[in-house]
Amino acid sequence: MKRSKKLCILLGILIAVCLAALAAMLSEEKKEEIKTSGETVLSVESAKVTALCWEQDGTTWSFHRGDDGWQYDDDAEFPVSDSAMDALLEPFRSLSAAFTIENAEDLGRYGLDEPTCTITLTTDDETYTVKLGDHSTMDSQRYMDIGDGNVYLAVSDPLDAYDVELKDLIATSTLETITVEQTEKGIKFTLPGNSNEGS
């Protein structure tokens, strides 16, 4: 009787160990997998983008495409350069990843819980949100999240195109008629018969 009881206890322990091992294996399968990529992970035609917004360092920039070209949401009279806007959209025409981190759960490891910059592109059919995080320590490539559950290391850093100020987005044909001066509130742009302030 005692031997039978011991065997039952040992069998119970063996089953518990097997279940624990199985759970560990399943958990291991869910862990992040890093794969060499090189593939295009996002492709948005610039001509189809109807709105562009990005948030960086606590500042939000918003633009939309009107009948006469791009317009600055905060000031419809601001002369936006279409070519400058095209340059901002260019990184997303073919956004490629050097590496893909699948099943990424802890976005904080990549600086994506509080992104350095969040960029939103809107078309008639869809809205795309790209979050840019920290640089990887090994190769200084930018971590990015496009909302599909993976984390990518960008081949080219999209943030490079967004190192701009409002004055960089002025249509060049209007530069000769614009006076720019620094004020306490930011940068003041004076147009013929008009004035605009930005930062």
Side-chain angles (χ1 to χ4, degrees):
M1 184 72 176
K2 289 183 178 179
R3 176 176 290 225
S4 169
K5 190 173 183 180
K6 285 182 180 179
L7 285 174
C8 287
I9 293 173
L10 289 173
L11 184 60
I13 293 173
L14 180 61
I15 291 172
V17 169
C18 289
L19 288 174
L22 180 60
M25 286 174 61
L26 292 174
S27 175
E28 189 70 26
E29 288 179 2
K30 291 182 179 178
K31 286 187 177 179
E32 298 171 345
E33 297 178 15
I34 301 177
K35 295 182 177 179
T36 303
S37 181
E39 64 179 328
T40 297
V41 295
L42 183 64
S43 180
V44 183
E45 289 185 42
S46 299
K48 291 186 177 180
V49 177
T50 57
L52 173 65
C53 173
W54 71 95
E55 183 178 349
Q56 184 178 8
D57 299 327
T59 301
T60 300
W61 308 73
S62 297
F63 297 83
H64 68 276
R65 197 191 298 268
D67 294 335
D68 298 323
W70 284 96
Q71 293 183 347
Y72 180 38
D73 288 2
D74 288 353
D75 187 348
E77 299 300 320
F78 183 83
V80 180
S81 165
D82 288 343
S83 61
M85 296 302 296
D86 286 342
L88 292 172
L89 296 172
E90 178 62 24
F92 307 104
R93 189 173 60 82
S94 182
L95 185 61
S96 299
F99 292 93
T100 299
I101 303 169
E102 297 181 345
N103 303 315
E105 295 180 357
D106 184 9
L107 297 181
R109 292 176 56 186
Y110 313 105
L112 291 166
D113 55 341
E114 296 180 4
T116 301
C117 183
T118 301
I119 303 166
T120 304
L121 303 92
T122 304
T123 68
D124 288 335
D125 303 318
E126 198 166 348
T127 296
Y128 305 89
T129 299
V130 179
K131 296 178 181 179
L132 304 177
D134 296 335
H135 285 108
S136 64
T137 53
M138 289 183 62
D139 46 26
S140 297
Q141 289 177 308
R142 179 81 63 183
Y143 289 114
M144 58 186 184
D145 173 12
I146 62 172
D148 63 355
N150 298 326
V151 170
Y152 300 97
L153 275 170
V155 171
S156 299
D157 190 352
L159 196 58
D160 290 343
Y162 287 78
D163 184 19
V164 294
E165 298 178 20
L166 195 56
K167 62 183 178 63
D168 299 320
L169 305 178
I170 299 173
T172 54
S173 60
T174 63
L175 285 177
E176 294 180 2
T177 60
I178 293 179
T179 303
V180 181
E181 61 180 297
Q182 183 72 42
T183 68
E184 291 182 1
K185 294 182 180 180
I187 298 173
K188 180 178 180 181
F189 301 92
T190 304
L191 302 169
N194 190 17
S195 68
N196 304 282
E197 288 194 3
S199 58

